[in-house]
Short mmCIF file of all heavy atoms in Angstrom, two decimals:
data_model
loop_
_atom_site.label_atom_id
_atom_site.label_comp_id
_atom_site.label_asym_id
_atom_site.label_seq_id
_atom_site.Cartn_x
_atom_site.Cartn_y
_atom_site.Cartn_z
N SER A 16 88.54 121.22 184.12
CA SER A 16 89.97 121.19 184.57
C SER A 16 90.29 119.80 185.21
O SER A 16 89.34 119.07 185.52
CB SER A 16 90.15 122.28 185.66
OG SER A 16 89.41 122.01 186.81
N VAL A 17 91.53 119.49 185.21
CA VAL A 17 91.97 118.13 185.66
C VAL A 17 92.93 118.33 186.79
O VAL A 17 93.88 119.13 186.67
CB VAL A 17 92.63 117.46 184.50
CG1 VAL A 17 93.17 116.05 184.96
CG2 VAL A 17 91.73 117.27 183.30
N THR A 18 92.76 117.67 187.93
CA THR A 18 93.70 117.68 188.95
C THR A 18 94.49 116.41 188.98
O THR A 18 93.99 115.32 188.98
CB THR A 18 93.07 117.85 190.37
OG1 THR A 18 92.28 119.08 190.36
CG2 THR A 18 94.09 117.92 191.52
N LEU A 19 95.87 116.55 188.83
CA LEU A 19 96.72 115.35 188.77
C LEU A 19 96.80 114.68 190.11
O LEU A 19 97.04 115.35 191.09
CB LEU A 19 98.10 115.78 188.25
CG LEU A 19 98.18 116.53 186.90
CD1 LEU A 19 99.64 116.73 186.51
CD2 LEU A 19 97.45 115.73 185.81
N SER A 20 96.72 113.35 190.04
CA SER A 20 96.86 112.61 191.30
C SER A 20 98.23 111.93 191.32
O SER A 20 98.81 111.64 190.26
CB SER A 20 95.75 111.53 191.41
OG SER A 20 96.05 110.47 190.45
N GLN A 21 98.72 111.70 192.55
CA GLN A 21 100.05 111.04 192.63
C GLN A 21 99.96 109.60 192.09
O GLN A 21 100.86 109.17 191.41
CB GLN A 21 100.43 110.98 194.11
CG GLN A 21 101.84 110.46 194.31
CD GLN A 21 102.90 111.36 193.73
OE1 GLN A 21 103.01 112.53 194.03
NE2 GLN A 21 103.68 110.80 192.79
N SER A 22 98.82 108.93 192.26
CA SER A 22 98.71 107.54 191.78
C SER A 22 98.81 107.49 190.24
O SER A 22 99.41 106.55 189.68
CB SER A 22 97.43 106.89 192.29
OG SER A 22 96.31 107.51 191.74
N GLU A 23 98.28 108.44 189.52
CA GLU A 23 98.38 108.38 188.07
C GLU A 23 99.80 108.67 187.61
O GLU A 23 100.26 108.08 186.60
CB GLU A 23 97.31 109.26 187.36
CG GLU A 23 97.35 110.66 187.60
CD GLU A 23 96.20 111.44 186.98
OE1 GLU A 23 95.67 111.05 185.91
OE2 GLU A 23 95.85 112.54 187.52
N ILE A 24 100.48 109.55 188.29
CA ILE A 24 101.91 109.81 187.93
C ILE A 24 102.72 108.61 188.29
O ILE A 24 103.61 108.12 187.53
CB ILE A 24 102.41 111.05 188.72
CG1 ILE A 24 101.70 112.26 188.06
CG2 ILE A 24 103.92 111.18 188.57
CD1 ILE A 24 101.95 113.59 188.76
N ASP A 25 102.41 107.93 189.45
CA ASP A 25 103.18 106.74 189.83
C ASP A 25 102.98 105.61 188.82
O ASP A 25 103.98 104.96 188.49
CB ASP A 25 102.59 106.19 191.19
CG ASP A 25 102.95 107.08 192.43
OD1 ASP A 25 103.76 108.03 192.24
OD2 ASP A 25 102.41 106.82 193.45
N ALA A 26 101.81 105.47 188.26
CA ALA A 26 101.56 104.41 187.31
C ALA A 26 102.33 104.67 186.01
O ALA A 26 102.93 103.71 185.44
CB ALA A 26 100.04 104.31 187.01
N PHE A 27 102.38 105.88 185.60
CA PHE A 27 103.11 106.24 184.37
C PHE A 27 104.60 106.06 184.57
O PHE A 27 105.26 105.47 183.74
CB PHE A 27 102.79 107.73 184.04
CG PHE A 27 103.05 108.02 182.57
CD1 PHE A 27 102.10 108.04 181.61
CD2 PHE A 27 104.36 108.38 182.17
CE1 PHE A 27 102.35 108.36 180.33
CE2 PHE A 27 104.62 108.72 180.80
CZ PHE A 27 103.62 108.70 179.88
N CYS A 28 105.07 106.46 185.73
CA CYS A 28 106.53 106.31 186.05
C CYS A 28 106.88 104.84 186.10
O CYS A 28 107.95 104.47 185.62
CB CYS A 28 106.86 106.94 187.39
SG CYS A 28 106.87 108.76 187.27
N ALA A 29 106.00 104.04 186.63
CA ALA A 29 106.32 102.56 186.73
C ALA A 29 106.50 101.97 185.39
O ALA A 29 107.38 101.11 185.23
CB ALA A 29 105.17 101.87 187.51
N VAL A 30 105.75 102.38 184.41
CA VAL A 30 105.80 101.77 183.08
C VAL A 30 107.19 102.06 182.45
O VAL A 30 107.80 101.17 181.84
CB VAL A 30 104.74 102.32 182.14
CG1 VAL A 30 104.97 101.87 180.70
CG2 VAL A 30 103.39 101.89 182.63
N ILE A 31 107.71 103.23 182.68
CA ILE A 31 109.01 103.63 182.02
C ILE A 31 110.22 103.37 182.93
O ILE A 31 111.35 103.73 182.54
CB ILE A 31 108.97 105.07 181.48
CG1 ILE A 31 108.76 106.10 182.60
CG2 ILE A 31 107.84 105.21 180.40
CD1 ILE A 31 108.94 107.52 182.17
N GLY A 32 109.96 102.96 184.19
CA GLY A 32 111.13 102.70 185.08
C GLY A 32 111.67 103.94 185.70
O GLY A 32 112.80 103.98 186.09
N GLU A 33 110.80 104.99 185.84
CA GLU A 33 111.22 106.23 186.43
C GLU A 33 110.98 106.15 187.98
O GLU A 33 109.89 105.98 188.39
CB GLU A 33 110.44 107.44 185.87
CG GLU A 33 110.75 108.77 186.47
CD GLU A 33 112.23 109.15 186.38
OE1 GLU A 33 112.69 109.54 185.25
OE2 GLU A 33 112.94 109.01 187.38
N SER A 34 112.03 106.34 188.74
CA SER A 34 111.92 106.24 190.19
C SER A 34 111.54 107.59 190.85
O SER A 34 110.97 107.52 191.96
CB SER A 34 113.17 105.69 190.83
OG SER A 34 114.26 106.55 190.47
N ASP A 35 111.80 108.64 190.16
CA ASP A 35 111.41 110.03 190.75
C ASP A 35 109.99 110.30 190.31
O ASP A 35 109.71 110.68 189.18
CB ASP A 35 112.37 111.08 190.25
CG ASP A 35 112.04 112.44 190.83
OD1 ASP A 35 111.02 112.52 191.63
OD2 ASP A 35 112.67 113.42 190.43
N THR A 36 109.08 110.14 191.29
CA THR A 36 107.65 110.39 190.95
C THR A 36 107.17 111.77 191.46
O THR A 36 105.99 112.05 191.50
CB THR A 36 106.79 109.29 191.59
OG1 THR A 36 106.96 109.35 193.03
CG2 THR A 36 107.14 107.92 191.07
N THR A 37 108.11 112.60 191.89
CA THR A 37 107.73 113.94 192.40
C THR A 37 107.35 114.89 191.25
O THR A 37 106.73 115.91 191.52
CB THR A 37 108.87 114.56 193.24
OG1 THR A 37 110.02 114.73 192.39
CG2 THR A 37 109.23 113.73 194.41
N ILE A 38 107.79 114.52 190.04
CA ILE A 38 107.53 115.36 188.86
C ILE A 38 106.96 114.40 187.80
O ILE A 38 107.44 113.29 187.67
CB ILE A 38 108.77 116.08 188.41
CG1 ILE A 38 109.06 117.24 189.34
CG2 ILE A 38 108.66 116.55 187.02
CD1 ILE A 38 110.36 117.89 189.11
N ALA A 39 105.97 114.89 186.99
CA ALA A 39 105.52 114.04 185.93
C ALA A 39 106.57 113.92 184.80
O ALA A 39 107.18 114.93 184.44
CB ALA A 39 104.20 114.64 185.41
N PRO A 40 106.75 112.69 184.23
CA PRO A 40 107.62 112.58 183.12
C PRO A 40 107.22 113.50 181.97
O PRO A 40 106.07 113.86 181.86
CB PRO A 40 107.51 111.08 182.78
CG PRO A 40 107.02 110.44 184.05
CD PRO A 40 106.11 111.46 184.69
N PRO A 41 108.21 113.76 181.09
CA PRO A 41 107.97 114.76 179.99
C PRO A 41 106.71 114.49 179.08
O PRO A 41 106.08 115.44 178.66
CB PRO A 41 109.24 114.74 179.17
CG PRO A 41 110.18 113.79 179.77
CD PRO A 41 109.57 113.27 181.03
N THR A 42 106.39 113.22 178.88
CA THR A 42 105.26 112.91 177.98
C THR A 42 103.99 112.62 178.76
O THR A 42 102.95 112.24 178.12
CB THR A 42 105.54 111.76 177.05
OG1 THR A 42 105.71 110.56 177.84
CG2 THR A 42 106.85 111.99 176.29
N PHE A 43 104.02 112.80 180.06
CA PHE A 43 102.83 112.34 180.86
C PHE A 43 101.52 113.00 180.46
O PHE A 43 100.46 112.37 180.42
CB PHE A 43 103.10 112.63 182.34
CG PHE A 43 101.93 112.43 183.22
CD1 PHE A 43 101.62 111.14 183.70
CD2 PHE A 43 101.08 113.48 183.55
CE1 PHE A 43 100.46 110.93 184.50
CE2 PHE A 43 99.94 113.32 184.38
CZ PHE A 43 99.67 112.03 184.78
N THR A 44 101.66 114.30 180.06
CA THR A 44 100.36 115.04 179.86
C THR A 44 99.63 114.61 178.61
O THR A 44 98.51 115.08 178.40
CB THR A 44 100.64 116.56 179.85
OG1 THR A 44 101.66 116.83 178.86
CG2 THR A 44 101.01 117.10 181.21
N ILE A 45 100.23 113.69 177.81
CA ILE A 45 99.47 113.11 176.72
C ILE A 45 98.20 112.47 177.27
O ILE A 45 97.19 112.36 176.55
CB ILE A 45 100.29 112.13 175.89
CG1 ILE A 45 99.72 111.86 174.53
CG2 ILE A 45 100.59 110.83 176.65
CD1 ILE A 45 99.83 112.98 173.59
N ARG A 46 98.31 111.97 178.48
CA ARG A 46 97.18 111.33 179.18
C ARG A 46 95.96 112.30 179.20
O ARG A 46 94.82 111.90 179.14
CB ARG A 46 97.59 110.91 180.60
CG ARG A 46 96.55 110.30 181.43
CD ARG A 46 97.07 109.89 182.79
NE ARG A 46 96.01 109.76 183.76
CZ ARG A 46 95.34 108.59 183.90
NH1 ARG A 46 95.60 107.59 183.17
NH2 ARG A 46 94.34 108.48 184.74
#
Side-chain angles (χ1 to χ4, degrees):
Chain A
S16 66
V17 177
T18 301
L19 303 185
S20 72
Q21 187 64 58
S22 64
E23 61 186 330
I24 292 173
D25 290 350
F27 199 97
C28 287
V30 172
I31 62 171
E33 177 58 77
S34 56
D35 180 3
T36 60
T37 60
I38 284 172
T42 67
F43 172 82
T44 52
I45 198 71
R46 177 179 162 85

